[in-house]
Every structure is written in C-alpha cells, then in structure tokens.
Amino acid sequence: MQAYPLEQIQAKKVLVVGDLMLDRYWFGDVNRISPEAPVPVVRVVKKEDRLGGAGNVARNVVSLGAKATLVGIVGLDEGGQQIQRLADEMGINAVLSLDQQINTTLKMRILGRKQQMLRVDFEHEPTEHSLKSLYDSVEELIPRHDILVLSDYAKGVLKHVDSIIDLARQHGLTVLVDPKGDDYQVYAQANLLTPNQLEMSQAVGSWVSEQDLHDKAQALRKKLSLEALLVTRSEKGMTLFSDDGVHHVDAQAQEVFDVSGAGDTVLATMAVTRAAGMPWSEAIKWANKAGAIVVGKVGTSIVSAEELI
C-alpha cells in the first residue's frame, strides 16, 4: 500500500458540487414511554448541526488535507445561514446560490442513547433560476481547480449534471460522481462513478454471482465511457472495475455504529488521493480504510489525515 501522499494533497484544490443539506442532531436520554401514545420520550440534552450531502464531502476533503470549494443551492433561511457558517468554520470556500422560493434541505435526526429514533426531512427542488446561477458559478470555478466531485442526492441540484461533466472534461479535470437513480447515462464521460450495492443493482439489475457482477459492471463502464467504476459493498468491502481489470478490497473488521455519510467519506478520499496522482487501484485502499473509520462514529462524520496515517 502506497504511503498517504499528504504533502501532494495539501497543494490540491477540489471543487465539490451537489445537493447541500443541513444535518441536525438532537441527542437525548430515554427513560419513559409517553402517556399520550406508545412512543418513547426523548429528553433532549444536546443539539448539533453538521454539513450534510455535498457539504459532508467537502468537510472530508478538508479534513483529509486538501482545499475545498463547495457549490450548492440553499434557501434564504436559517438553514442556509447555518450551512454558510459551518463551511466558514471548516475553512471551506462555500459558493452558495440563494433560491428565495425554497427552504434549505434539512434532515433532523433525534437520537436516544446514541440510537437514531426518528428522522424528519424537509426538502424542495430548486428553481431553474437558481440552477442557472449554480452553473455560472461552476463555469467560473472549474479552471481554478484540480479535480471535480459531484455529489448527487437526487434533490434536483444536479439536474443538468451532463453539462457540468462536459464542461469539466473540456478543461481537463478528472470527474468523480456519487450517482443516484437508475439512469446512469447522464453521468457518461465521468472518470469514476461510486455507486453502493443497492444503487448499482438499480442501474444494472441484480446479479447472481461475482462473475455476473463483473460482467454487468464492465459493460456499464464501457457503455458510459468511464475510466473506472467503484461499487461499495458494505460488509463485503469494495470492488473497482477498470481497463486494468478488477480490484477488490475486503471490509476492515469494525463495529458499525452509523453508516450515514460513509459514501461521502469514500468519495472524498478517492478524490484527494487521485488528485495527488495515486492510481485508482491504490486510492481504493485508502478509501476503504477511511470508510471503516467513519462507520465507527455516530452521525454524519469525517476522517482526518492523521487518523488515516
């Protein structure tokens, strides 16, 4: 396994574009059942907000040692202001398009004794006006960055993702995408796609054996003209498909507390190591290690270069 290239990573600028959200956590104690309904009563003792979605990818990029610019859409509300504040605190350059007709996407999680008990989502699709503003920002920023990461959570921000990929490729940038949905044609010409096992099955159908998965993955990769395709497979580890063949790494034994945001960590690690010149087959080893660390934490979390090394 190649050494972690921290010195090279520190010189790299990563542009992260995608669905932004605020992850809000209410932590509490649970000692009784409500007299009003058969549900537990959570006595909230701590509140915490974190950058979610594309914001969590940018958090991980910075934590892993690189510089990050975050482009997304927020509403003219408290959630949008909080995302800006959290980005500033992390040293992330946030270029936010304001959409006055929507509220910022918010995921509120209520936890009792570190166990998630309820999640409440608030979300709205952005308007075409704010999408145009976002594209203009991306067009201006792409020439100043080394690599582009697209974080698609199917909230509408990457509605015109094919145009963004085309623009990046014109400027010679490597493009990594965390995809959503079952139509991956919109991600054609990207360098790397990182679907999880469920997302992969939605795109190519279920598989009956490892060989069947290999055949389907390589066929999809060639159809979309991808350099590589990385399937994250939970307890089975992760498998990379490229012109060089198939590279698999087993999951590292680890007690799993929370898988939320693990895909963001994997994507960010692949981006920073690739930006530093590491081949995909080596980058997945670091991504696998980072993923194993982050699932041992509660909530949408990050991995630092120090933890990895």
Side-chain angles (χ1 to χ4, degrees):
M1 188 166 170
Q2 287 185 19
Y4 189 72
L6 183 58
E7 194 173 319
Q8 295 97 309
I9 285 171
Q10 287 171 335
K12 299 302 178 184
K13 296 177 181 176
V14 181
L15 180 60
V16 181
V17 183
D19 294 298
L20 261 179
M21 55 195 75
L22 184 65
D23 283 343
R24 178 158 285 170
Y25 294 88
W26 288 5
F27 299 92
D29 296 325
V30 180
N31 296 308
R32 64 191 179 99
I33 300 298
S34 170
E36 304 162 359
V39 294
V41 174
V42 180
R43 186 175 64 85
V44 176
V45 296
K46 187 176 81 165
K47 299 177 184 179
E48 189 176 333
D49 287 345
R50 301 177 188 174
L51 288 171
N56 191 44
V57 179
R59 285 174 79 209
N60 275 279
V61 166
V62 168
S63 182
L64 289 164
K67 297 176 180 68
T69 300
L70 175 63
V71 180
I73 296 172
V74 297
L76 203 60
D77 55 13
E78 181 264 343
Q81 292 171 355
Q82 184 70 329
I83 284 175
Q84 180 70 65
R85 187 182 69 78
L86 291 170
D88 290 344
E89 285 179 0
M90 281 289 301
I92 297 166
N93 175 29
V95 180
L96 307 178
S97 295
L98 296 176
D99 193 326
Q100 298 186 32
Q101 297 184 42
I102 66 165
N103 290 320
T104 301
T105 298
L106 171 68
K107 291 183 180 179
M108 192 169 84
R109 298 171 175 89
I110 299 173
L111 295 90
R113 295 178 183 168
K114 293 189 176 180
Q115 294 295 316
Q116 188 176 146
M117 307 187 70
L118 180 69
R119 193 179 99 181
V120 183
D121 289 6
F122 303 87
E123 57 188 57
H124 302 87
E125 280 219 4
T127 61
E128 282 295 332
H129 179 76
S130 60
L131 289 174
K132 173 68 168 62
S133 171
L134 176 128
Y135 183 82
D136 290 345
S137 295
V138 171
E139 193 171 27
E140 184 184 333
L141 289 164
I142 274 178
R144 301 187 224 155
H145 289 79
D146 300 298
I147 201 161
L148 172 65
V149 178
L150 300 172
S151 178
D152 196 346
Y153 273 78
K155 308 301 180 193
V157 169
L158 291 177
K159 186 176 178 181
H160 307 302
V161 66
D162 50 346
S163 300
I164 295 174
I165 292 172
D166 184 53
L167 186 63
R169 296 307 299 269
Q170 286 175 35
H171 285 83
L173 263 69
T174 297
V175 181
L176 290 78
V177 185
D178 187 3
K180 278 290 181 290
D182 55 11
D183 178 17
Y184 283 10
Q185 194 60 47
V186 294
Y187 307 119
Q189 304 294 324
N191 296 84
L192 176 74
L193 255 59
T194 63
N196 62 31
Q197 201 157 233
L198 174 61
E199 291 161 347
M200 184 65 177
S201 67
Q202 290 169 341
V204 301
S206 57
W207 48 89
V208 295
S209 65
E210 283 297 304
Q211 188 58 52
D212 191 23
L213 169 60
H214 294 182
D215 293 343
K216 288 178 185 295
Q218 292 290 34
L220 177 66
R221 191 180 64 80
K222 286 168 184 168
K223 177 186 172 188
L224 301 179
S225 300
L226 307 173
E227 201 175 295
L229 176 67
L230 175 64
V231 183
T232 56
R233 307 175 65 187
S234 194
E235 72 280 357
K236 293 181 182 176
M238 51 183 71
T239 310
L240 178 81
F241 303 90
S242 69
D243 278 340
D244 296 333
V246 180
H247 293 85
H248 179 81
V249 285
D250 291 325
Q252 298 188 7
Q254 160 83 51
E255 186 173 2
V256 176
F257 278 98
D258 196 336
V259 298
S260 59
D264 300 332
T265 300
V266 167
L267 182 63
T269 310
M270 292 296 289
V272 299
T273 50
R274 184 63 174 179
M278 193 173 278
W280 296 122
S281 56
E282 282 294 313
I284 63 164
K285 296 173 186 175
W286 287 105
N288 189 50
K289 188 175 181 182
I293 294 169
V294 82
V295 296
K297 302 180 181 184
V298 176
T300 310
S301 300
I302 55 176
V303 173
S304 69
E306 289 73 23
E307 284 176 296
L308 269 187
I309 295 167

